[in-house]
Amino acid sequence: MSAVSVRDVTVAFEAFRVFDGLSLDIEEGEFIVLLGPSGCGKSTLLNAIAGLLDVSSGQIWIGGRNVTWEEPKDRGIAMVFQSYALYPRMSVRQNMSFGLKMAKTPKAEIARRVHQAAELLQISHLLDRRPDQLSGGQRQRVAIGRALVRDAAVFLFDEPLSNLDAKLRNELRVEIKRLHARLGKTTMVYVTHDQIEAMTLADRIVVLKEQKVQQIGSPDEIYRRPANLFVAGFVGSPQMNFIKGRIEGSGTGPEFVSGQRRLPLAEYRFVSKPRPGQQVVLGVRPEHLEIAEAGTWPGFKIDIVEPMGADMVIWCSDGEGSIQVRTHGSRRATPGTPLTLGVDVGQVSLFSAETGERI
Ligand SMILES: Nc1ncnc2c1ncn2[C@@H]1O[C@H](COP(=O)(O)OP(=O)(O)OP(=O)(O)O)[C@@H](O)[C@H]1O
Ligand SMILES: [Mg+2]
């Protein structure tokens, strides 16, 4: 039984239809991330699961029950938003207790759960403060704590970290991951536009663009075998290199050709049969290129070097366009130096130039 099952769901905002029959099964204990740029429909999908908006067709099942027409509070979910949505006049303890009090939970039980959640989130020393006496990171911990005390089987997060500065975001991201591991069977659905958050947190990522699912897969699948050009470009930093070219047939098998650059594709795992002459885009991640003595593509020169501490990005060109290579930060690299690039065909992706789909 799935923890959450979205069945053939369409949401309509008057004439504007979103998702058009989206189905998604989320397993118990799974950490699912909905990833995509602004406006792609992440919050809409999350709100449909939560019951904060009505679906116009299809069903939502949670914990084996059809909850399509149930109120949010009856769905067995807990939600955390980007804007912490805390009650300003209540203390942290009151904020965390409020929902349980409304549900007429016995006082001792409320105290026990608040205590436990506060310990877990390391906010026990803040229980008597008001939200305006807390930092952003502390407020978000309280918001998570308020969700935690509800003992829900499913947690829904809508960009919970995007109001925080970079350092705090990294810290809290790890905390959320730890929390998920500790809670064991709790299912989490997490919305973000940050591909690093998605890659680090998710068991599976759902990549969305313009209210359509582009790919569903583990972070590894999404990263190594992106289903189309959009997914390939959205995930990964620095970005995947895209090189336009065509497929040529030869005695030993198909070959990718782009000006002077050639790459034999005998070892490439095609998902559809390539046509000789087909226009394609080759995708290579910067860390999958090697700076070699003798390699696949000679005749490059270093343009610009971007040191990033542990890593370094080298921009190089061969007169046909610029390519980024990611290498060790300790390497010596001087603009103007000639170099040859080694390309491992086992690490590249090929897309149809026409449709953008992986081939
Ligand atoms: N109440 C509404 N009426 C009409 N259109 C809406 C409504 N709510 C959302 N939309 C549209 O639906 C699409 C998806 O919106 P949604 O809020 O789900 O995006 P999102 O992926 O969460 O974006 P963001 O990252 O900016 O929060 C957008 O094009 C938006 O304009
Ligand atoms: Mg949103």
Side-chain angles (χ1 to χ4, degrees):
M1 181 188 77
S2 302
V4 178
S5 178
V6 176
R7 302 186 181 172
D8 204 19
V9 158
T10 298
V11 175
F13 297 120
E14 287 154 20
F16 181 58
R17 289 162 72 83
V18 182
F19 299 130
D20 252 336
L22 170 71
S23 292
L24 174 67
D25 277 309
I26 302 172
E27 296 308 314
E28 189 183 341
E30 206 175 8
F31 201 128
I32 287 275
V33 173
L34 310 180
L35 174 69
S38 186
C40 71
K42 307 178 293 289
S43 298
T44 304
L45 180 53
L46 200 74
N47 291 343
I49 295 172
L52 295 175
L53 59 80
D54 289 340
V55 302
S56 45
S57 66
Q59 297 178 346
I60 306 280
W61 289 62
I62 295 176
R65 281 189 310 128
N66 181 353
V67 298
T68 313
W69 303 111
E70 284 186 12
E71 293 290 321
K73 66 174 176 43
D74 301 325
R75 292 189 178 203
I77 51 150
M79 227 174 150
V80 180
F81 300 93
Q82 173 180 352
S83 59
Y84 324 113
L86 299 174
Y87 300 107
R89 287 177 204 287
M90 292 185 191
S91 68
V92 167
R93 188 191 314 277
Q94 288 165 330
N95 263 288
M96 285 170 70
S97 314
F98 189 72
L100 296 177
K101 228 165 135 184
M102 289 293 110
K104 304 223 160 33
T105 310
K107 267 200 178 128
E109 177 64 12
I110 297 180
R112 189 188 67 78
R113 289 204 213 166
V114 169
H115 174 74
Q116 203 178 18
E119 288 271 294
L120 209 55
L121 293 160
Q122 298 165 40
I123 49 172
S124 303
H125 59 298
L126 304 174
L127 285 172
D128 294 316
R129 292 206 202 162
R130 282 192 324 267
D132 64 358
Q133 299 166 320
L134 302 176
S135 73
Q138 290 169 335
R139 282 179 213 176
Q140 195 52 289
R141 278 170 204 264
V142 175
I144 295 171
R146 190 176 51 179
L148 212 54
V149 296
R150 302 197 47 197
D151 248 348
V154 180
F155 269 62
L156 307 176
F157 292 91
D158 195 344
E159 309 234 21
L161 308 185
S162 49
N163 280 357
L164 306 176
D165 67 42
K167 184 165 174 290
L168 212 48
R169 212 154 58 207
N170 291 351
E171 277 174 28
L172 223 52
R173 187 179 77 208
V174 177
E175 296 265 326
I176 288 176
K177 184 146 186 158
R178 196 170 282 139
L179 193 63
H180 179 243
R182 273 205 220 155
L183 294 174
K185 288 282 181 197
T186 307
T187 308
M188 294 193 169
V189 187
Y190 187 104
V191 162
T192 183
H193 60 265
D194 179 348
Q195 48 108 11
I196 307 265
E197 261 172 43
M199 292 292 288
T200 50
L201 288 173
D203 292 316
R204 278 192 303 159
I205 301 175
V206 179
V207 186
L208 295 160
K209 179 198 171 199
E210 290 165 8
Q211 302 93 46
K212 293 209 168 51
V213 174
Q214 304 294 305
Q215 186 171 4
I216 303 177
S218 68
D220 199 59
E221 282 160 359
I222 300 270
Y223 194 73
R224 295 189 187 281
R225 294 179 62 78
N228 58 36
L229 274 173
F230 174 79
V231 176
F234 196 75
V235 174
S237 169
Q239 240 204 10
M240 185 183 258
N241 294 290
F242 293 127
I243 303 163
K244 285 186 185 156
R246 64 182 187 280
I247 301 282
E248 277 187 8
S250 78
T252 53
E255 221 176 356
F256 169 80
V257 181
S258 170
Q260 297 302 309
R261 304 170 186 161
R262 303 181 86 88
L263 183 67
L265 297 171
E267 309 282 311
Y268 181 79
R269 281 199 285 158
F270 280 100
V271 293
S272 64
K273 207 172 150 49
R275 285 178 283 108
Q278 184 176 0
Q279 298 294 313
V280 295
V281 178
L282 178 76
V284 198
R285 296 218 179 267
E287 69 272 28
H288 293 151
L289 287 164
E290 246 199 292
I291 293 174
E293 293 289 310
T296 323
W297 294 342
F300 278 85
K301 252 200 186 97
I302 298 180
D303 286 336
I304 286 180
V305 178
E306 289 184 299
M308 300 196 298
D311 295 334
M312 170 188 295
V313 175
I314 297 177
W315 291 77
C316 54
S317 61
D318 61 352
E320 291 184 38
S322 200
I323 289 187
Q324 309 183 60
V325 183
R326 184 172 184 169
T327 181
H328 284 296
S330 56
R331 194 180 188 103
R332 271 176 196 280
T334 317
T337 312
L339 55 83
T340 292
L341 291 183
V343 188
D344 175 2
V345 69
Q347 307 267 33
V348 305
S349 293
L350 273 172
F351 306 97
S352 155
E354 198 181 329
T355 63
E357 295 300 311
R358 186 182 193 86
I359 60 167

